[in-house]
Amino acid sequence: MTTRTSWADLAANSAAENVGVGSSDSNKAAGSTSGGGRPAYVPPHLRNRPPSADPPAPTSSGPASSNDRLGQGGSRWAAPRNDYNNRSGYGGSGGRPGGWGGRSGGWDRGRDREVNPFGNDDDTEQAFSEQENTAINFDAYEDIPVDTSGDNVPPPVNTFAEIDLGEALNLNIRRCKYVKPTPVQRYAIPISLAGRDLMACAQTGSGKTAAFCFPIISGIMRGPVPQKPVRGARTVFPLALILSPTRELSMQIHEETRKFSYQTGVKVVVAYGGAPINQQLRELERGVDILVATPGRLVDLLERARVSLQMIRYLALDEADRMLDMGFEPQIRKIVEQMDMPPPGVRQTMLFSATFPREIQRLASDFLANYIFLAVGRVGSSTDLIVQRVEFVQESDKRSHLMDLLHAQRANGAQGKQALTLVFVETKKGADSLEHWLCMNGFPATTIHGDRSQQEREQALRSFKSGTTPILVATDVAARGLDIPHVAHVVNFDLPNDIDDYVHRIGRTGRAGKTGLATAFFNDNNASMAKSLADLMQEANQEVPAWLTRYAARSFGGRNRRPGGGGRFGGRDFRRDSSFNRGGSDYYGGGNNAGGYGGGYSANVASAWD
DNA sequence: AAAAAAT
């Protein structure tokens, strides 16, 4: 491939797609806790009053009662939904029997006055029509290798129609313009609907959130009405917990989940640090079925006894490998194992990530019972949607080299619009300093990292998404999971020390089947990455510079090598590893998976995928 | 060594 000239074109093409991003609903996303359409707070002493007496003023627009639109009669969903009505005061409003979950009044605010999460999308859809939604490049998802292992794997489906998700959810799927399931959805949804635990390797941007949300929402809708346990009146009992490693990712999952659960009666609440806790507590008090959270804030809520995990039926860890790495593992273990969450086998557990190192899989298996491992080929790299380039740049030359890239990109840009460029650096200080330097040199930039206030972080993300500052300098806080449409170029100004982090970073471009460009600056400091980087690029059919191959040949870099020889997959079931099978007595001692696959997978099966 | 995540 002749990437030498194509990279600028790529960026320029993406720049053309960028026109008009200002109307993106992402602007709304960050305002989820302060939006204009939010109903006024009703003080607790007013909540017990009968619906007929002095109802709150109706919202200015929208349906008076979303229940009217639920079409109760004749639906096979009528029964669970009616049950749900009785439940909707559950947890939040103190579980008052027959309380304000009634169908007729305006008191069940969580439903009757549910803010339409699709409300602002109309403009966006018009601006982007073909590109953003309808034209998700599904062809790019065809022929992607998929690998499953485990006991009695349910067969995949080819259409949403084959899956019994229910009317309300199907309507939301149509509203989201999802035409057919992505590969991870085709496999993961039936597995999850069958009640099985799941460890899934799939790149974000391939429909991962929906893959674990649809079964959760559907399961809550048709599941039994929970009985509120005896607890402090202000404790709430979510039925599903979704954990993610960064605040912005939790916000994003929340926004997406709200769309999927719109008018299903299933309530989604998000809780994360850096934001006032009181508003989050109020949201929880209004009722919560699905709680999306970052670990720190959740631990806080658990210790305050404002949340109990006793009723959890579904646990999902997004970016699960990050959640279980050294920094996070104790907190996650506390939440999952040392609070009041039901054990594996009782709850249903789903772990998702684009990468799943073997050691992490071993840790993760503590949380799972007789699980199915699912690996979906990398959408981006394996289909050349992301063009990866690596350039040898000395530390002292990095800034001027970046400037060259940006100038070329600007020259090729359409209508003066600059392509969105995400620049990853190693440190928070480095991020601030590079941002300042870029601004001084005529390139509007902003930055996101852990030393900034949450407000600043969210503002930076908005400003980047809208194109106001088309350059975002970021630490690894932005490496994982964030879905930022129209990122044309990811620059690894400083390479990470872990090849998996590289995979996550470049995954911020080339999303939803679009093309993207990833440029890495490499020098002697990155010697330990040479081998893994060269291997990865080769696997993805990228042009590997000769100098990098030479580097790789003489570097040791054992830590970054992919065990098991890599292959086209982001991961491979560690249970199938022959070395593990021989030496894995500790694992079988756990008793989690006795009889499932024991010994069934060894060299011959594994070799089919090598 | 760095980043993230509660106050």
Side-chain angles (χ1 to χ4, degrees), chain A residues 229-390:
Chain A
V230 180
R231 276 288 197 287
R234 301 174 75 167
T235 306
V236 297
F237 298 84
L239 304 175
L241 175 64
I242 302 172
L243 290 174
S244 96
T246 66
R247 298 163 181 174
E248 286 77 12
L249 185 52
S250 280
M251 291 174 49
Q252 177 182 305
I253 294 168
H254 174 239
E255 287 303 312
E256 211 169 340
T257 309
R258 268 182 61 223
K259 292 185 180 177
F260 301 150
S261 63
Y262 180 54
Q263 292 188 344
T264 62
V266 176
K267 294 180 180 175
V268 190
V269 175
V270 67
Y272 54 83
I277 200 169
N278 281 336
Q279 182 141 15
Q280 293 174 6
L281 288 173
R282 277 204 298 278
E283 291 295 326
L284 288 169
E285 287 194 7
R286 291 177 179 181
V288 53
D289 298 301
I290 302 176
L291 177 58
V292 183
T294 48
R297 176 55 59 90
L298 177 60
V299 168
D300 190 6
L301 293 168
L302 291 168
E303 288 175 346
R304 294 175 188 226
R306 297 300 294 262
V307 171
S308 162
L309 303 178
Q310 189 181 333
M311 302 294 284
I312 291 292
R313 296 176 192 165
Y314 304 92
L315 168 66
L317 301 193
D318 203 2
E319 307 299 337
D321 63 332
R322 168 62 89 226
M323 304 298 280
L324 289 167
D325 81 4
M326 278 201 328
F328 266 126
E329 194 206 340
Q331 238 174 344
I332 300 303
R333 280 201 187 276
K334 175 168 186 172
I335 292 166
V336 176
E337 295 179 329
Q338 290 155 33
M339 305 304 290
D340 52 354
M341 194 186 304
V346 178
R347 63 163 197 262
Q348 190 177 343
T349 308
M350 294 172 277
L351 311 183
F352 281 78
S353 181
T355 54
F356 247 121
R358 189 172 46 177
E359 321 81 66
I360 301 289
Q361 290 189 39
R362 183 193 300 274
L363 292 176
S365 64
D366 289 349
F367 298 164
L368 299 159
N370 188 24
Y371 65 95
I372 289 166
F373 181 91
L374 167 66
V376 179
R378 287 190 210 116
V379 172
S381 49
S382 67
T383 55
D384 296 335
L385 286 176
I386 302 175
V387 173
Q388 296 177 56
R389 305 185 72 236
V390 53

Side-chain angles (χ1 to χ4, degrees), chain A residues 392 522 524 527 530-531 546-557:
Chain A
F392 196 95
F522 183 102
D524 287 340
K531 172 92 174 104
W547 59 261
L548 183 62
T549 309
R550 287 198 299 273
Y551 239 102
R554 62 186 142 96
S555 78
F556 308 103

Side-chain angles (χ1 to χ4, degrees), chain A residues 142-155:
Chain A
E142 300 298 332
D143 300 322
I144 285 177
V146 174
D147 178 20
T148 57
S149 57
D151 189 22
N152 290 325
V153 180

